Amino acid sequence: MRLAALARLVRLSLARERRGAFFSAFGVAMGVGALVFFVGLGLGVGRVIRERVFPSDARLVDVVPPAVSLGSFLGGGRLDAATVERLGALPGVERVYRKMNVRAPAASLYNGDFFGRRLRMGMDLLAVGVDPGLVEGAVSPDTFVDPGPDKPLPVLISTRLLEIYNNTFAPSRKLPRLAPEMLKGFVLPIDFNRSYVTAPLPGAPVISTQVQVVGASDRALLAGVTLPLDVAVRLNKELGQDTETYTGVTLVATSPGGVPSVVAAVKEMGLEIDDQERRLAENVGAAVTLTTSAMALLSVLICVLAAVNIAHALSASVRARAKEIGVMQAVGASRADVRNIVLAEAGVVGLVGGVLGTVAALLLALLIDRLAATWLPQFPFKPDSFFSFPALVVVGGVGLGLFAALAGAWFPSHRAAATDPARTLAG
């Protein structure tokens, strides 16, 4: 049978059974639309978690000393210069960046102008020194160095901390929202070995100085400030604290696929991996995936019901059109022709339902994003869109509608093809 003749017969059949075709297409559209909507929502929320809430580089491995170490008796545990050299020599390690906490509490009392507002605030701070290469790209290398005594210390702040400030602290205190560029050059007083909540180090001096913001980075300390490593070493020396061992080391693997072997080698050295943030991100992501999967399963069940409805409707149609099918076979239509007519009818219904459902999901997602932007208050990490619709999801939605319809039409089409024209016309 020619394609033009097949198309004409399908059009006439659907026009005659338009009510049944409408409800069948509506069922497909409901299932496909729900599936595309929830999958897009899950992908969008997952993207926000990966890129904004817990941003990380898949090649980074954070190494820390073990919580309990027997030292060299069991083969390691100290993050000293020799251990750092061994870590850098591990197969699959491209670069090594050292970290050292300032081993004393720190407090700041700010009283002055804060971008046009009067601000008086005291707070405790954590301070960590890092190799400048770890935060390259966020700050100019010539500004992130030890400036020497009696000069403001260059610091980086966390972009995530700035996000939290802009959407929680600033509105509640009626303070201005800030961009990273606005903070560059901002000077804050700080006292090392002084705290509002903990006891200072006994016998250690109080070091009063200033810190100057030189940039913001995803890799900066979330609950404090990030200094150049040389500054942390100098401060610890002045405080009489350990300057020989490091608080942590960040390894950069040559590729994400090489991370497991690097992790195994690190553990063989008696050290541990600090993956708390990554595990938290994975747990949150798993919860989002589980919820999305549950909703997607419900959507697939709707598609299955739509396929069953199509099978029932086409079976009834085949029974009602038995004489018509018999006449077509009597005038030369083959069984394949009859089967193709039924499958083509179902394919049109499924394709229309899949397209309508996918378009409805996209429009509903757009509406929700518009309403969220207008009515939802600002909160940390609020995205421009809660959804993500890759081409595979869109095409997959349309394809699922077509597949569900063809699956529902499979048995009715074979039943129609098996019609005996002699018996049908005689009966």
PDB file of all heavy atoms in Angstrom, residues 269-297:
ATOM      1  N   MET A 269      48.921   5.051  52.791  1.00  0.00           N
ATOM      2  CA  MET A 269      49.934   5.836  53.487  1.00  0.00           C
ATOM      3  C   MET A 269      49.519   6.174  54.915  1.00  0.00           C
ATOM      4  O   MET A 269      50.262   6.855  55.640  1.00  0.00           O
ATOM      5  CB  MET A 269      50.198   7.131  52.714  1.00  0.00           C
ATOM      6  CG  MET A 269      50.856   6.930  51.356  1.00  0.00           C
ATOM      7  SD  MET A 269      51.012   8.484  50.416  1.00  0.00           S
ATOM      8  CE  MET A 269      52.014   9.473  51.532  1.00  0.00           C
ATOM      9  N   GLY A 270      48.358   5.714  55.356  1.00  0.00           N
ATOM     10  CA  GLY A 270      47.897   5.989  56.711  1.00  0.00           C
ATOM     11  C   GLY A 270      47.184   7.310  56.856  1.00  0.00           C
ATOM     12  O   GLY A 270      46.990   7.800  57.969  1.00  0.00           O
ATOM     13  N   LEU A 271      46.762   7.924  55.735  1.00  0.00           N
ATOM     14  CA  LEU A 271      46.051   9.197  55.753  1.00  0.00           C
ATOM     15  C   LEU A 271      44.586   8.979  55.427  1.00  0.00           C
ATOM     16  O   LEU A 271      44.180   7.884  55.031  1.00  0.00           O
ATOM     17  CB  LEU A 271      46.686  10.162  54.741  1.00  0.00           C
ATOM     18  CG  LEU A 271      48.173  10.450  54.949  1.00  0.00           C
ATOM     19  CD1 LEU A 271      48.745  11.226  53.777  1.00  0.00           C
ATOM     20  CD2 LEU A 271      48.394  11.227  56.241  1.00  0.00           C
ATOM     21  N   GLU A 272      43.777  10.022  55.580  1.00  0.00           N
ATOM     22  CA  GLU A 272      42.343   9.917  55.336  1.00  0.00           C
ATOM     23  C   GLU A 272      41.918  10.920  54.265  1.00  0.00           C
ATOM     24  O   GLU A 272      42.638  11.869  53.959  1.00  0.00           O
ATOM     25  CB  GLU A 272      41.549  10.156  56.628  1.00  0.00           C
ATOM     26  CG  GLU A 272      41.751   9.077  57.681  1.00  0.00           C
ATOM     27  CD  GLU A 272      40.902   9.305  58.917  1.00  0.00           C
ATOM     28  OE1 GLU A 272      40.212  10.358  58.976  1.00  0.00           O
ATOM     29  OE2 GLU A 272      40.944   8.452  59.820  1.00  0.00           O
ATOM     30  N   ILE A 273      40.736  10.677  53.736  1.00  0.00           N
ATOM     31  CA  ILE A 273      40.150  11.548  52.715  1.00  0.00           C
ATOM     32  C   ILE A 273      39.012  12.350  53.344  1.00  0.00           C
ATOM     33  O   ILE A 273      38.118  11.784  53.970  1.00  0.00           O
ATOM     34  CB  ILE A 273      39.620  10.728  51.521  1.00  0.00           C
ATOM     35  CG1 ILE A 273      40.727   9.848  50.944  1.00  0.00           C
ATOM     36  CG2 ILE A 273      39.047  11.648  50.459  1.00  0.00           C
ATOM     37  CD1 ILE A 273      41.909  10.612  50.412  1.00  0.00           C
ATOM     38  N   ASP A 274      39.066  13.646  53.196  1.00  0.00           N
ATOM     39  CA  ASP A 274      37.981  14.499  53.682  1.00  0.00           C
ATOM     40  C   ASP A 274      36.944  14.644  52.566  1.00  0.00           C
ATOM     41  O   ASP A 274      37.062  15.491  51.688  1.00  0.00           O
ATOM     42  CB  ASP A 274      38.528  15.872  54.074  1.00  0.00           C
ATOM     43  CG  ASP A 274      37.439  16.780  54.632  1.00  0.00           C
ATOM     44  OD1 ASP A 274      36.320  16.280  54.883  1.00  0.00           O
ATOM     45  OD2 ASP A 274      37.695  17.988  54.812  1.00  0.00           O
ATOM     46  N   ASP A 275      35.953  13.776  52.599  1.00  0.00           N
ATOM     47  CA  ASP A 275      34.901  13.809  51.572  1.00  0.00           C
ATOM     48  C   ASP A 275      33.542  14.104  52.184  1.00  0.00           C
ATOM     49  O   ASP A 275      32.510  13.729  51.634  1.00  0.00           O
ATOM     50  CB  ASP A 275      34.855  12.480  50.818  1.00  0.00           C
ATOM     51  CG  ASP A 275      34.581  11.303  51.739  1.00  0.00           C
ATOM     52  OD1 ASP A 275      34.608  11.485  52.975  1.00  0.00           O
ATOM     53  OD2 ASP A 275      34.337  10.193  51.226  1.00  0.00           O
ATOM     54  N   GLN A 276      33.542  14.801  53.330  1.00  0.00           N
ATOM     55  CA  GLN A 276      32.276  15.076  54.018  1.00  0.00           C
ATOM     56  C   GLN A 276      31.336  15.900  53.139  1.00  0.00           C
ATOM     57  O   GLN A 276      30.156  15.577  53.006  1.00  0.00           O
ATOM     58  CB  GLN A 276      32.544  15.812  55.324  1.00  0.00           C
ATOM     59  CG  GLN A 276      31.277  16.144  56.113  1.00  0.00           C
ATOM     60  CD  GLN A 276      31.590  16.825  57.436  1.00  0.00           C
ATOM     61  OE1 GLN A 276      32.744  17.034  57.784  1.00  0.00           O
ATOM     62  NE2 GLN A 276      30.560  17.172  58.169  1.00  0.00           N
ATOM     63  N   GLU A 277      31.885  16.952  52.514  1.00  0.00           N
ATOM     64  CA  GLU A 277      31.024  17.804  51.697  1.00  0.00           C
ATOM     65  C   GLU A 277      30.549  17.057  50.463  1.00  0.00           C
ATOM     66  O   GLU A 277      29.400  17.188  50.045  1.00  0.00           O
ATOM     67  CB  GLU A 277      31.785  19.070  51.307  1.00  0.00           C
ATOM     68  CG  GLU A 277      30.914  20.094  50.605  1.00  0.00           C
ATOM     69  CD  GLU A 277      31.566  21.459  50.529  1.00  0.00           C
ATOM     70  OE1 GLU A 277      31.821  22.043  51.596  1.00  0.00           O
ATOM     71  OE2 GLU A 277      31.816  21.926  49.405  1.00  0.00           O
ATOM     72  N   ARG A 278      31.445  16.255  49.884  1.00  0.00           N
ATOM     73  CA  ARG A 278      31.053  15.506  48.698  1.00  0.00           C
ATOM     74  C   ARG A 278      29.980  14.469  49.035  1.00  0.00           C
ATOM     75  O   ARG A 278      29.028  14.268  48.279  1.00  0.00           O
ATOM     76  CB  ARG A 278      32.282  14.825  48.095  1.00  0.00           C
ATOM     77  CG  ARG A 278      31.995  14.075  46.810  1.00  0.00           C
ATOM     78  CD  ARG A 278      33.287  13.647  46.139  1.00  0.00           C
ATOM     79  NE  ARG A 278      34.057  14.813  45.717  1.00  0.00           N
ATOM     80  CZ  ARG A 278      35.247  14.735  45.135  1.00  0.00           C
ATOM     81  NH1 ARG A 278      35.807  13.568  44.913  1.00  0.00           N
ATOM     82  NH2 ARG A 278      35.883  15.835  44.781  1.00  0.00           N
ATOM     83  N   ARG A 279      30.145  13.818  50.200  1.00  0.00           N
ATOM     84  CA  ARG A 279      29.129  12.842  50.607  1.00  0.00           C
ATOM     85  C   ARG A 279      27.797  13.518  50.894  1.00  0.00           C
ATOM     86  O   ARG A 279      26.734  12.970  50.609  1.00  0.00           O
ATOM     87  CB  ARG A 279      29.612  12.062  51.829  1.00  0.00           C
ATOM     88  CG  ARG A 279      30.650  10.994  51.488  1.00  0.00           C
ATOM     89  CD  ARG A 279      30.960  10.087  52.661  1.00  0.00           C
ATOM     90  NE  ARG A 279      31.825  10.756  53.622  1.00  0.00           N
ATOM     91  CZ  ARG A 279      31.443  11.157  54.825  1.00  0.00           C
ATOM     92  NH1 ARG A 279      30.185  10.980  55.214  1.00  0.00           N
ATOM     93  NH2 ARG A 279      32.296  11.729  55.653  1.00  0.00           N
ATOM     94  N   LEU A 280      27.849  14.717  51.489  1.00  0.00           N
ATOM     95  CA  LEU A 280      26.614  15.451  51.740  1.00  0.00           C
ATOM     96  C   LEU A 280      25.933  15.801  50.424  1.00  0.00           C
ATOM     97  O   LEU A 280      24.710  15.664  50.288  1.00  0.00           O
ATOM     98  CB  LEU A 280      26.920  16.725  52.538  1.00  0.00           C
ATOM     99  CG  LEU A 280      25.719  17.602  52.910  1.00  0.00           C
ATOM    100  CD1 LEU A 280      24.698  16.816  53.722  1.00  0.00           C
ATOM    101  CD2 LEU A 280      26.179  18.835  53.680  1.00  0.00           C
ATOM    102  N   ALA A 281      26.739  16.245  49.443  1.00  0.00           N
ATOM    103  CA  ALA A 281      26.171  16.548  48.128  1.00  0.00           C
ATOM    104  C   ALA A 281      25.571  15.299  47.496  1.00  0.00           C
ATOM    105  O   ALA A 281      24.497  15.349  46.884  1.00  0.00           O
ATOM    106  CB  ALA A 281      27.262  17.131  47.222  1.00  0.00           C
ATOM    107  N   GLU A 282      26.266  14.154  47.653  1.00  0.00           N
ATOM    108  CA  GLU A 282      25.750  12.913  47.085  1.00  0.00           C
ATOM    109  C   GLU A 282      24.445  12.500  47.768  1.00  0.00           C
ATOM    110  O   GLU A 282      23.523  12.004  47.119  1.00  0.00           O
ATOM    111  CB  GLU A 282      26.792  11.811  47.215  1.00  0.00           C
ATOM    112  CG  GLU A 282      28.007  12.004  46.299  1.00  0.00           C
ATOM    113  CD  GLU A 282      29.076  10.968  46.540  1.00  0.00           C
ATOM    114  OE1 GLU A 282      28.936  10.197  47.520  1.00  0.00           O
ATOM    115  OE2 GLU A 282      30.047  10.926  45.764  1.00  0.00           O
ATOM    116  N   ASN A 283      24.362  12.692  49.096  1.00  0.00           N
ATOM    117  CA  ASN A 283      23.142  12.328  49.825  1.00  0.00           C
ATOM    118  C   ASN A 283      21.962  13.198  49.406  1.00  0.00           C
ATOM    119  O   ASN A 283      20.847  12.707  49.199  1.00  0.00           O
ATOM    120  CB  ASN A 283      23.376  12.453  51.337  1.00  0.00           C
ATOM    121  CG  ASN A 283      24.322  11.402  51.870  1.00  0.00           C
ATOM    122  OD1 ASN A 283      24.510  10.355  51.246  1.00  0.00           O
ATOM    123  ND2 ASN A 283      24.948  11.665  52.999  1.00  0.00           N
ATOM    124  N   VAL A 284      22.225  14.497  49.276  1.00  0.00           N
ATOM    125  CA  VAL A 284      21.154  15.387  48.825  1.00  0.00           C
ATOM    126  C   VAL A 284      20.744  15.035  47.398  1.00  0.00           C
ATOM    127  O   VAL A 284      19.555  14.981  47.061  1.00  0.00           O
ATOM    128  CB  VAL A 284      21.606  16.859  48.920  1.00  0.00           C
ATOM    129  CG1 VAL A 284      20.532  17.785  48.339  1.00  0.00           C
ATOM    130  CG2 VAL A 284      21.883  17.236  50.368  1.00  0.00           C
ATOM    131  N   GLY A 285      21.752  14.779  46.556  1.00  0.00           N
ATOM    132  CA  GLY A 285      21.451  14.393  45.183  1.00  0.00           C
ATOM    133  C   GLY A 285      20.678  13.097  45.104  1.00  0.00           C
ATOM    134  O   GLY A 285      19.779  12.938  44.273  1.00  0.00           O
ATOM    135  N   ALA A 286      21.036  12.142  45.994  1.00  0.00           N
ATOM    136  CA  ALA A 286      20.323  10.862  46.007  1.00  0.00           C
ATOM    137  C   ALA A 286      18.866  11.057  46.417  1.00  0.00           C
ATOM    138  O   ALA A 286      17.961  10.403  45.872  1.00  0.00           O
ATOM    139  CB  ALA A 286      21.014   9.890  46.958  1.00  0.00           C
ATOM    140  N   ALA A 287      18.623  11.949  47.380  1.00  0.00           N
ATOM    141  CA  ALA A 287      17.242  12.221  47.792  1.00  0.00           C
ATOM    142  C   ALA A 287      16.442  12.834  46.639  1.00  0.00           C
ATOM    143  O   ALA A 287      15.283  12.457  46.403  1.00  0.00           O
ATOM    144  CB  ALA A 287      17.238  13.165  48.998  1.00  0.00           C
ATOM    145  N   VAL A 288      17.070  13.766  45.914  1.00  0.00           N
ATOM    146  CA  VAL A 288      16.394  14.371  44.764  1.00  0.00           C
ATOM    147  C   VAL A 288      16.124  13.318  43.697  1.00  0.00           C
ATOM    148  O   VAL A 288      15.033  13.256  43.115  1.00  0.00           O
ATOM    149  CB  VAL A 288      17.247  15.523  44.188  1.00  0.00           C
ATOM    150  CG1 VAL A 288      16.654  16.031  42.876  1.00  0.00           C
ATOM    151  CG2 VAL A 288      17.347  16.656  45.195  1.00  0.00           C
ATOM    152  N   THR A 289      17.125  12.455  43.450  1.00  0.00           N
ATOM    153  CA  THR A 289      16.959  11.411  42.436  1.00  0.00           C
ATOM    154  C   THR A 289      15.865  10.431  42.827  1.00  0.00           C
ATOM    155  O   THR A 289      15.063  10.004  41.980  1.00  0.00           O
ATOM    156  CB  THR A 289      18.286  10.655  42.241  1.00  0.00           C
ATOM    157  OG1 THR A 289      19.300  11.583  41.847  1.00  0.00           O
ATOM    158  CG2 THR A 289      18.152   9.576  41.185  1.00  0.00           C
ATOM    159  N   LEU A 290      15.816  10.068  44.107  1.00  0.00           N
ATOM    160  CA  LEU A 290      14.790   9.133  44.572  1.00  0.00           C
ATOM    161  C   LEU A 290      13.395   9.715  44.395  1.00  0.00           C
ATOM    162  O   LEU A 290      12.475   9.038  43.907  1.00  0.00           O
ATOM    163  CB  LEU A 290      15.039   8.785  46.043  1.00  0.00           C
ATOM    164  CG  LEU A 290      14.072   7.777  46.677  1.00  0.00           C
ATOM    165  CD1 LEU A 290      14.160   6.433  45.956  1.00  0.00           C
ATOM    166  CD2 LEU A 290      14.377   7.606  48.163  1.00  0.00           C
ATOM    167  N   THR A 291      13.242  10.990  44.782  1.00  0.00           N
ATOM    168  CA  THR A 291      11.934  11.637  44.626  1.00  0.00           C
ATOM    169  C   THR A 291      11.552  11.747  43.149  1.00  0.00           C
ATOM    170  O   THR A 291      10.416  11.460  42.764  1.00  0.00           O
ATOM    171  CB  THR A 291      11.967  13.033  45.261  1.00  0.00           C
ATOM    172  OG1 THR A 291      12.368  12.923  46.629  1.00  0.00           O
ATOM    173  CG2 THR A 291      10.604  13.692  45.184  1.00  0.00           C
ATOM    174  N   THR A 292      12.529  12.145  42.327  1.00  0.00           N
ATOM    175  CA  THR A 292      12.267  12.261  40.890  1.00  0.00           C
ATOM    176  C   THR A 292      11.910  10.909  40.292  1.00  0.00           C
ATOM    177  O   THR A 292      10.996  10.800  39.450  1.00  0.00           O
ATOM    178  CB  THR A 292      13.500  12.837  40.180  1.00  0.00           C
ATOM    179  OG1 THR A 292      13.828  14.108  40.765  1.00  0.00           O
ATOM    180  CG2 THR A 292      13.230  13.016  38.692  1.00  0.00           C
ATOM    181  N   SER A 293      12.610   9.863  40.718  1.00  0.00           N
ATOM    182  CA  SER A 293      12.347   8.524  40.193  1.00  0.00           C
ATOM    183  C   SER A 293      10.942   8.058  40.555  1.00  0.00           C
ATOM    184  O   SER A 293      10.257   7.426  39.740  1.00  0.00           O
ATOM    185  CB  SER A 293      13.388   7.528  40.725  1.00  0.00           C
ATOM    186  OG  SER A 293      14.691   7.894  40.325  1.00  0.00           O
ATOM    187  N   ALA A 294      10.521   8.370  41.798  1.00  0.00           N
ATOM    188  CA  ALA A 294       9.173   7.983  42.215  1.00  0.00           C
ATOM    189  C   ALA A 294       8.119   8.677  41.353  1.00  0.00           C
ATOM    190  O   ALA A 294       7.149   8.050  40.897  1.00  0.00           O
ATOM    191  CB  ALA A 294       8.973   8.318  43.689  1.00  0.00           C
ATOM    192  N   MET A 295       8.308   9.974  41.112  1.00  0.00           N
ATOM    193  CA  MET A 295       7.348  10.697  40.291  1.00  0.00           C
ATOM    194  C   MET A 295       7.405  10.215  38.834  1.00  0.00           C
ATOM    195  O   MET A 295       6.383  10.125  38.157  1.00  0.00           O
ATOM    196  CB  MET A 295       7.627  12.207  40.335  1.00  0.00           C
ATOM    197  CG  MET A 295       7.686  12.830  41.702  1.00  0.00           C
ATOM    198  SD  MET A 295       6.260  12.778  42.813  1.00  0.00           S
ATOM    199  CE  MET A 295       4.931  12.260  42.000  1.00  0.00           C
ATOM    200  N   ALA A 296       8.626   9.905  38.356  1.00  0.00           N
ATOM    201  CA  ALA A 296       8.758   9.402  36.989  1.00  0.00           C
ATOM    202  C   ALA A 296       8.077   8.044  36.844  1.00  0.00           C
ATOM    203  O   ALA A 296       7.459   7.757  35.812  1.00  0.00           O
ATOM    204  CB  ALA A 296      10.234   9.311  36.613  1.00  0.00           C
ATOM    205  N   LEU A 297       8.206   7.208  37.872  1.00  0.00           N
ATOM    206  CA  LEU A 297       7.541   5.898  37.830  1.00  0.00           C
ATOM    207  C   LEU A 297       6.031   6.061  37.754  1.00  0.00           C
ATOM    208  O   LEU A 297       5.357   5.348  36.990  1.00  0.00           O
ATOM    209  CB  LEU A 297       7.930   5.082  39.065  1.00  0.00           C
ATOM    210  CG  LEU A 297       7.291   3.693  39.179  1.00  0.00           C
ATOM    211  CD1 LEU A 297       7.664   2.823  37.983  1.00  0.00           C
ATOM    212  CD2 LEU A 297       7.704   3.021  40.487  1.00  0.00           C
TER     213      LEU A 297
END
